[in-house]
Amino acid sequence: MDTALVTRYESRTVESKRLYDAARRVIPGGVEGSIKHYSPYPLTFARAHGPLLQDVDGHEYVDYLLSFGALMLGHGHPAVVDATRRVWRDYGTSAFGLASPLEAQLAEVVQGFFPSVEELRFTNSGLEATLLAVRLGIAASGRDVVAKFEGHYHGGHEQVLVSVSPDLDRAGPARHPAAVPASLGLPEHFAQHTVVLPFNDYEACEAILTAERDRVGVVVMEPMEAGYVAADRAFVQQLRELTTRLGMVLVFDEVKTGFRVRLGGAQEYYGVKADLTALGKILGGGLPIGAVGGKREILELTSPLRKGGAVFHSGTFNGNPLSVSAGLATLELLKAPGVFQGVLDATDRLRRSIEQLGREAGFPVQTIGVGTVFDVLFSEGEVKNYRSRIAADKDSRLALDFLLMERGVFSKPLNRFSLSAAHGDDVIARTEEAFRDSFQSLRDLAAAT
Ligand SMILES: Cc1ncc(COP(=O)(O)O)c(C=O)c1O
């Protein structure tokens, strides 16, 4: 990246750097997750309110990271704060260990949004949700190979930590991708028991899954790759039919898309029903949560009442009342007339402005996404899947992200943009101005090099 941009970043974020250096002495890489890092070092934040973030150096940003899309009402929404306070007041604890009256209520609310969810189990994260979904799918189908799509992320557990963002020189043919481990420390077993599929290429998927029909029991997918590249409608429909025909359990990982693409997730958008659905993020209203819902006959495999053994699933904090109450408050608000539509409208407006401002500055900018999440790509080509997605010009995008930060707009560099109900007209207008200025500076930078 342009060295002047890095120098400016470093000079305006001195306190972030100091805290980052201190953290590195006790925390590997100074961050709590592989994807929480960016160079030269990530910001440290001190405060947030509604759509706004403040870093430890006192700079304010309109927040489009929104905790990786989890905060659909923005930061510290009074309804969420009150709901969690009520838990402390009424229950006197954050966790009974066993049930509170709230968890079955949230499960019913989720059923209302997702008609495919007949029963549901809570977990503490999206990762745990996809892990349980895969285990259920293997148990239900009796086959222990999992098919996943190249470029799809389902959290960092062994079975799906394959071909998440593979280097193309190791990734094999586009229509029959290789299984590339995405981490050190993964036993060989998992790459051998994972089949990798090309997204949005039905014929190739049909050929691979038909050939593997005796081994593959579960097909797991992000219905919108990386949260924003939509599956073609025909692709989803055909994959639904194929997996039914081949007796494979179809898992929709809606951790990102649930309550964000549509309130009923990608399944509402496509009008299809997955066998199992993994949820997380928005479901917890800003507190840790995950869930797996789906067909009763599959979910019942986890029931301790089951004769002849069960699928194991447990967790100390599963269904804890703080997360569940925050989720209930969030979903109730999102259901109120006009609220979700307002976020959809704001997203559309911002996307149109970004594309227009980018084009005016001479860049081939497209925004890609459905609902209240999108990404900004410097690319003229059609973006259909991982390989076409990574063909976009990353350097320009990275520079744009740093220019936007200087102008008070934040999403983690190279990350998607998510909106919330707190992103009103005023902050959208501020964001448009920041994009206008940033595109112009980017053009000046390009002209200078
Ligand atoms: C599609 C998808 N699945 C699963 C996960 C994992 O969720 P969590 O980070 O809550 O474990 C993520 C996280 O970003 C995700 O985007």
Side-chain angles (χ1 to χ4, degrees):
M1 198 177 40
D2 186 79
T3 48
L5 279 179
V6 178
T7 309
R8 291 210 297 266
Y9 180 83
E10 288 172 345
S11 63
R12 63 192 286 283
T13 59
V14 172
E15 185 60 6
S16 271
K17 173 76 161 78
R18 190 187 69 74
L19 289 168
Y20 171 75
D21 287 341
R24 279 189 62 187
R25 290 198 282 277
V26 280
I27 294 171
V31 287
E32 293 304 330
S34 310
I35 60 172
K36 293 183 189 247
H37 178 78
Y38 62 84
S39 287
Y41 50 85
L43 293 179
T44 297
F45 292 102
R47 194 133 184 92
H49 177 68
L52 302 176
L53 280 174
Q54 198 185 347
D55 71 16
V56 288
D57 289 278
H59 306 294
E60 190 178 83
Y61 306 88
V62 181
D63 183 11
Y64 290 93
L65 182 64
L66 289 174
S67 195
F68 296 91
L71 302 173
M72 195 62 188
L73 301 179
H75 295 275
H77 191 286
V80 175
V81 175
D82 284 352
T84 49
R85 279 208 184 113
R86 269 199 306 277
V87 166
W88 286 110
R89 192 194 62 205
D90 296 350
Y91 294 165
T93 182
S94 55
F96 293 116
L98 300 184
S100 86
L102 296 180
E103 56 217 69
Q105 284 178 32
L106 183 57
E108 275 179 28
V109 171
V110 174
Q111 273 183 336
F113 288 112
F114 286 83
S116 66
V117 170
E118 294 167 4
E119 290 194 358
L120 174 147
R121 270 286 179 96
F122 288 111
T123 65
N124 296 302
S125 65
L127 179 159
E128 291 169 59
T130 65
L131 189 152
L132 175 60
V134 165
R135 183 181 296 163
L136 278 167
I138 291 173
S141 65
R143 298 177 224 146
D144 68 357
V145 172
V146 174
K148 78 171 287 282
F149 288 85
E150 187 174 63
H152 290 209
Y153 177 63
H154 303 292
H157 61 91
E158 270 71 357
Q159 186 77 62
V160 291
L161 207 46
V162 172
S163 297
V164 177
S165 49
D167 290 339
L168 286 185
D169 53 359
R170 299 175 65 204
R175 305 197 73 195
H176 199 155
V180 183
S183 171
L184 298 179
L186 290 186
E188 266 292 304
H189 168 92
F190 292 101
Q192 285 163 5
H193 285 72
T194 305
V195 164
V196 181
L197 301 169
F199 192 57
N200 269 332
D201 182 345
Y202 178 70
E203 277 170 24
C205 291
E206 185 184 28
I208 296 169
L209 289 175
T210 305
E212 298 276 8
R213 63 188 307 161
D214 295 334
R215 296 200 320 136
V216 171
V218 187
V219 178
V220 56
M221 74 187 287
E222 283 191 82
M224 311 261 164
E225 177 177 300
Y228 66 91
V229 181
D232 294 334
R233 284 186 184 276
F235 179 77
V236 176
Q237 205 61 51
Q238 288 170 315
L239 194 73
R240 175 63 283 187
E241 285 160 22
L242 179 71
T243 47
T244 304
R245 200 160 67 239
L246 298 178
M248 297 169 182
V249 174
L250 180 62
V251 179
F252 269 22
D253 178 351
E254 298 238 36
V255 170
K256 265 198 212 92
T257 51
F259 317 105
R260 184 163 277 297
V261 160
R262 291 288 181 270
L263 283 174
Q267 288 171 76
E268 178 184 329
Y269 179 74
Y270 289 113
V272 295
K273 284 184 175 179
D275 298 316
L276 293 176
T277 301
L279 294 166
K281 297 199 193 264
I282 292 169
L283 177 63
L287 276 79
I289 207 163
V292 180
K295 284 190 169 157
R296 189 178 306 281
E297 73 208 52
I298 304 181
L299 264 294
E300 277 294 320
L301 291 171
T302 60
S303 170
L305 305 177
R306 195 170 181 273
K307 304 246 173 352
V311 166
F312 185 83
H313 165 239
S314 202
T316 301
F317 291 109
N318 287 358
N320 76 80
L322 280 180
S323 299
V324 168
S325 67
L328 277 167
T330 300
L331 297 187
E332 190 168 317
L333 235 131
L334 287 176
K335 262 195 315 198
V339 174
F340 191 74
Q341 188 59 44
V343 193
L344 286 173
D345 294 345
T347 313
D348 282 349
R349 166 180 161 188
L350 183 57
R351 285 180 59 175
R352 276 199 307 277
S353 299
I354 292 171
E355 290 186 345
Q356 191 187 336
L357 293 166
R359 276 197 300 272
E360 280 170 12
F363 294 105
V365 167
Q366 25 175 341
T367 65
I368 297 180
V370 176
T372 66
V373 55
F374 65 91
D375 206 1
V376 178
L377 272 77
F378 285 73
S379 154
E380 266 162 331
E382 193 183 20
V383 177
K384 282 285 192 193
N385 55 28
Y386 174 68
R387 297 197 191 199
S388 49
R389 183 158 58 90
I390 63 167
D393 168 8
K394 260 199 191 148
D395 294 343
S396 298
R397 171 60 205 276
L398 194 58
L400 176 72
D401 290 334
F402 277 79
L403 289 164
L404 284 168
M405 269 191 255
E406 291 177 0
R407 289 156 182 79
V409 168
F410 183 79
S411 186
K412 204 198 101 185
L414 300 180
N415 214 277
R416 293 162 303 276
F417 290 73
S418 297
L419 274 78
S420 79
H423 285 64
D425 288 348
D426 50 341
V427 294
I428 299 294
R430 246 162 92 176
T431 308
E432 288 166 337
E433 275 316 301
F435 267 95
R436 184 191 308 280
D437 261 22
S438 300
F439 278 128
Q440 276 161 16
S441 298
L442 192 62
R443 193 184 50 197
D444 297 343
L445 270 179
T449 50

